[in-house]
Amino acid sequence: MKQPVSMASVHAFYADVIRRGRNTAENLQAAASERFNNLLGSIGDATPRTALDLGYGAGAYTIALARAGFHVVAVDQIPSDPLLRRIGDAGTWARRIEPRQCLAEDFIIDQDFGVIVAKDVLHYLTRLNVEALLTSAVAHARGENYHYLEVFTGITRRSADGQLLRIEGEAGYTPESFRRGIERIYKGWDLTLLWSQHAEQDSRTGLNCFEAIRATVIAANRAA
Ligand SMILES: C[S@@+](CC[C@H](N)C(=O)[O-])C[C@H]1O[C@@H](n2cnc3c(N)ncnc32)[C@H](O)[C@@H]1O
């Protein structure tokens, strides 16, 4: 196993590729998924029109939420300029987006967000921070709230020369430890947990550089 990769270098990587509008093996420039769009389309009037997108990246989920009528707080550790450039003066929906440059773990959830999205970001946080963030989100949920999370578990990363890599401070969930954490935090919510295999290839070697089991969580607070 090589020395752990620093979280600072992971953060710098995203700031650079997003600033340059580049795509990556993980398909950063992809549009919001059909699964997410279907969820968005099914949300009714009992859900507050406020949303939080943690780790928004190139902004696909933030934009989908704003277009659907949500006022979106968009949080990422990268500067906000690429998102502001992308939305430009696209009209009313663009004015519903409020970007914030900050770490997800430092963002204080002190309001009732109707929808919270965290896609492909929470695995970079410590378990303690993931669970504190979600617990606080649940504690502030008042209406028929929805949380949509996609989180990598059981991750294996390899360098171009095939050595195992890990990132300092990452959550390191197994599917089982993640499931247990989610079931504890979302007690009393309707919970859908879906699992899929995920792999990314190194474009230089053609070999898998990232393999994981992706957990998709759709949590609905219908008891409100
Ligand atoms: C794989 S991208 C996912 C982007 C977007 N959610 C999507 O699925 O299209 C990960 C994003 O999380 C951000 N990120 C990583 N760690 C973070 C942290 N601790 N706090 C806030 N943003 C973070 C990165 O800057 C990057 O934009």
Side-chain angles (χ1 to χ4, degrees), residues 11 14 26 28 55-57 76-77 103-105 119-121 125:
H11 288 171
Y14 283 115
E26 62 207 320
L28 265 181
Y56 64 78
D76 203 295
Q77 58 83 29
L103 291 174
E105 53 271 45
K119 180 176 168 284
D120 298 355
V121 61
L125 277 59

